[in-house]
């Protein structure tokens, strides 16, 4: 299994211009980052375009990785999610349905990549449970779907300013809960 | 490390707060930025602050690290097989990008029986620890497979013909197709031995990396004309660095 430390090594080597490390990094992380892009964009073609942008950005910024304070998986996923959402926002005609295409689940050569420790996942879930369900849904919607304030407000049937207040308070509560 | 003014991050302590927002102004803002909830102008303004404000950057890292737990539930999905090669071409062969069919144009004069471009997953190639580039030169039907290792320091191309052979009374000739050079350049007739190495001429040494190797079917002794005369049977790209 490719470990987090392996991935970090690859990133550092990519920062030094190592193309083989870049290729290995793609092999080790591409499916997960594609999953992130696909979740946000709901469109395979767009997600593949986004994935290319993601890895170009990784290639260009890996030399700054060591100084930035991120853990390796977070760094990669954050790049992917942000680029996917940029593309989502730029898209004129939003796709609301997942395209009816069979997608290939990860096949054997692609290693499992745990994003966070199970304990961290459990803590997040626990802290989300402490929120009002509608608020927790909104936080998840923002992260996983790239929903805007307007979209979140529409989904919840509340005015946009109400949603802003919900989110800000919920995020503060989450932070307090997670740093308990 | 840029210092932040305390009042920017905490708000004035004795000011009446609005719904508890004021004292945690920046923390909420950072979280909203991390979630991508800020509109474009707010996003830009925040990014400008980020550039000079290490404390803000560090808050952002904290929020990204907290929020990434959501990504745990996103399933990996294998992207299409074309994505990676296109990515590598985009990054490492920008000249080839515009002319997606440049390679085909180079080979257009030939009768192409089987054309397959592969970028191989790095394999361990025992050359005593030298830096090696690899190419897998493969025919589409896999009837001819040559594993090649290129050592630029020694200017040697090591060949292992793992499948296929020259036709009776004919020779297999090895060519390198270099970006920007229209005509394939001969590296000579493939040795008879299954495993052999050939010297790469000095002038070709730098051009080999990310070049395409091709094998054609020629009269015994190789092409009489200096250009491929027979079918191109197999190709592969010299890529992948293995130490």
């Amino acid at each position: 299994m490719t470990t987090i430390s392996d991935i970090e090594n690859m990133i550092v080597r990519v920062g030094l211009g190592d193309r083989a490390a870049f290729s290995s990094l793609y092999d080790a992380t591409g499916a997960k980052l594609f999953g992130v892009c696909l979740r946000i964009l709901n469109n395979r073609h767009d997600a593949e375009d986004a994935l290319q942008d993601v890895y170009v950005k990784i290639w260009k910024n890996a030399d700054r990785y060591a100084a930035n304070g991120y853990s390796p998986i977070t760094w990669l996923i954050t790049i992917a999610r942000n680029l996917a959402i940029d593309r989502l926002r730029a898209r004129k005609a939003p796709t609301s349905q997942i395209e009816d295409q069979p997608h290939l689940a990860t096949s054997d050569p692609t290693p499992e990549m745990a994003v966070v420790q199970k304990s961290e996942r459990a803590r997040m879930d626990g802290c989300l449970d402490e929120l009002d369900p509608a608020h927790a849904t909104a936080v998840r919607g923002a992260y996983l779907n790239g929903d805007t304030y307007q979209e979140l407000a529409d989904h919840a049937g509340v005015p946009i300013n109400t949603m802003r207040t919900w989110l800000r308070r919920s995020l503060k509560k989450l932070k307090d809960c997670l740093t308990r | 490390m840029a210092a932040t003014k305390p009042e920017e991050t905490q708000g004035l302590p004795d000011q009446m707060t609005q719904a508890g927002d004021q004292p945690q102004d920046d923390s909420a803002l950072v979280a909203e930025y991390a979630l991508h909830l800020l509109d474009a102008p707010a996003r830009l303004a925040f990014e400008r602050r980020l550039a000079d404000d290490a404390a803000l950057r560090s808050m952002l890292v904290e929020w990204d690290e907290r929020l990434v737990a959501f990504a745990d539930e996103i399933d990996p999905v294998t992207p299409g097989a074309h994505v990676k090669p296109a990515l590598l071409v985009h990054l490492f062969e920008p000249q080839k990008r515009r002319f997606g069919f440049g390679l085909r144009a180079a080979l257009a004069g030939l009768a192409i029986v089987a054309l397959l471009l592969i970028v191989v997953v790095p394999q361990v190639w025992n050359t005593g620890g030298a830096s090696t580039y690899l190419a897998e030169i493969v025919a589409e039907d896999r009837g001819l497979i040559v594993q090649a290792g290129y050592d630029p320091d020694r200017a040697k191309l090591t060949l292992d013909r793992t499948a296929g052979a020259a036709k009776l009374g004919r020779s297999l000739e090895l060519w390198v197709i270099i970006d920007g050079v229209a005509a394939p350049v001969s590296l000579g007739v493939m040795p008879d031995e299954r495993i052999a190495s050939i010297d790469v001429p000095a002038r070709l040494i730098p051009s080999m990396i990310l070049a395409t190797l091709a094998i054609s079917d020629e009269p015994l002794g190789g092409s009489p004309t200096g250009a491929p005369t027979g079918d191109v049977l197999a190709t592969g790209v010299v890529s992948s660095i293995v130490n």
Side-chain angles (χ1 to χ4, degrees):
Chain A
M1 176 172 134
T2 306
T3 64
I4 291 180
S5 148
D6 291 338
I7 289 176
E8 187 157 48
N9 270 324
M10 288 176 205
I11 295 174
V12 170
R13 280 159 49 206
V14 169
L16 298 170
D18 185 338
R19 294 179 183 186
F22 182 70
S23 173
S24 302
L25 183 65
Y26 180 94
D27 292 342
T29 60
K32 182 71 180 189
L33 299 193
F34 185 59
V36 170
C37 294
L38 200 53
R39 179 70 190 251
I40 301 278
L41 290 163
N42 275 333
N43 175 296
R44 210 174 163 101
H45 181 80
D46 288 354
E48 286 180 343
D49 286 351
L51 191 67
Q52 295 223 6
D53 291 346
V54 167
Y55 280 92
V56 170
K57 187 160 186 179
I58 289 170
W59 173 259
K60 291 185 172 157
N61 291 351
D63 58 349
R64 279 175 266 163
Y65 168 78
N68 70 25
Y70 279 100
S71 66
I73 311 292
T74 302
W75 187 66
L76 295 171
I77 288 184
T78 302
I79 290 176
R81 185 178 161 270
N82 283 330
L83 279 175
I85 295 182
D86 288 342
R87 188 173 277 266
L88 180 70
R89 300 269 185 273
R91 200 155 69 179
K92 310 283 182 193
T95 308
S96 55
Q97 310 270 326
I98 292 183
E99 276 198 342
D100 192 14
Q101 270 181 31
H103 70 244
L104 304 170
T106 305
S107 52
D108 274 344
T110 309
E112 271 294 300
M113 195 175 86
V115 172
V116 292
Q117 305 287 1
K118 280 194 171 45
S119 55
E120 288 176 59
R121 172 84 190 267
R123 270 178 52 205
M124 172 58 94
D125 287 343
C127 290
L128 281 172
D129 284 344
E130 291 184 11
L131 297 177
D132 184 304
H135 301 191
T137 299
V139 177
R140 280 173 52 90
Y143 190 90
L144 290 171
N145 303 331
D147 289 337
T148 60
Y149 267 130
Q150 190 61 63
E151 285 163 345
L152 293 171
D154 292 345
H155 296 156
V158 300
I160 191 172
N161 282 331
T162 303
M163 181 53 73
R164 282 193 223 273
T165 307
W166 282 8
L167 247 304
R168 289 175 187 149
R169 285 191 184 149
S170 301
L171 290 167
K172 179 182 188 323
K173 284 188 189 162
L174 271 179
K175 178 184 168 189
D176 291 341
C177 175
L178 290 167
T179 54
R180 232 179 254 157
Chain B
M1 200 160 127
T4 52
K5 301 192 182 70
E7 54 268 25
E8 278 176 40
T9 51
Q10 287 154 25
L12 300 172
D14 52 5
Q15 186 175 38
M16 285 297 286
T17 60
Q18 281 180 327
D21 280 353
Q22 219 48 19
Q24 295 294 325
D25 210 34
D26 262 2
S27 183
L29 189 65
V30 175
E32 287 179 299
Y33 177 82
L35 276 176
H36 222 291
L37 284 170
L38 298 180
D39 62 20
R43 202 173 163 77
L44 268 170
F46 185 85
E47 281 166 358
R48 261 182 248 120
R49 286 182 60 193
L50 265 184
D52 296 326
D53 190 338
L56 203 63
R57 282 198 298 273
S58 144
M59 282 171 78
L60 179 58
V61 174
E62 276 177 22
W63 268 109
D64 283 333
E65 292 285 355
R66 259 173 226 133
L67 294 170
V68 82
F70 284 114
D72 195 51
E73 69 179 77
I74 297 177
D75 288 329
V77 177
T78 306
H82 61 281
V83 174
K84 187 181 181 187
L87 168 69
L88 297 179
V89 166
H90 177 96
L91 280 176
F92 306 136
E93 301 175 77
Q95 341 62 300
K96 241 186 202 150
R97 246 187 287 155
R98 274 179 60 210
F99 311 107
F101 296 97
L103 172 61
R104 307 220 177 152
L107 299 170
L110 313 171
I112 295 169
V113 172
L115 186 66
L116 183 64
L117 210 62
I118 305 178
V119 175
V120 301
V121 173
Q123 299 167 31
V124 175
W125 184 276
N126 187 2
T127 56
S131 290
T132 307
Y133 294 77
L134 302 179
E136 190 181 54
I137 312 166
V138 186
E140 203 172 68
D141 65 357
R142 300 189 73 82
L144 176 61
I145 302 177
V146 175
Q147 308 283 354
Y150 172 57
D151 181 352
D153 295 332
R154 299 196 191 121
K156 266 198 168 16
L157 193 63
T158 317
L159 303 166
D160 180 358
R161 184 166 39 81
T162 60
K167 295 177 188 160
L168 203 58
R170 307 274 296 170
S171 292
L172 293 173
E173 189 160 354
L174 185 63
W175 308 84
V176 56
I177 297 154
I178 300 164
D179 199 55
V181 178
V185 178
S186 177
L187 291 172
V189 169
M190 292 274 300
D192 290 334
E193 303 86 348
R194 222 197 77 203
I195 297 180
S197 68
I198 61 177
D199 296 317
V200 175
R203 75 187 192 286
L204 293 180
I205 293 171
S207 312
M208 290 288 289
I209 297 165
L210 287 180
T212 299
L213 295 175
I215 296 175
S216 71
D217 166 55
E218 299 296 336
L220 203 61
S223 163
T225 68
T229 65
D231 297 333
V232 171
L233 302 176
T235 69
V237 173
V238 180
S239 66
S240 315
I241 303 166
V242 176
N243 271 327

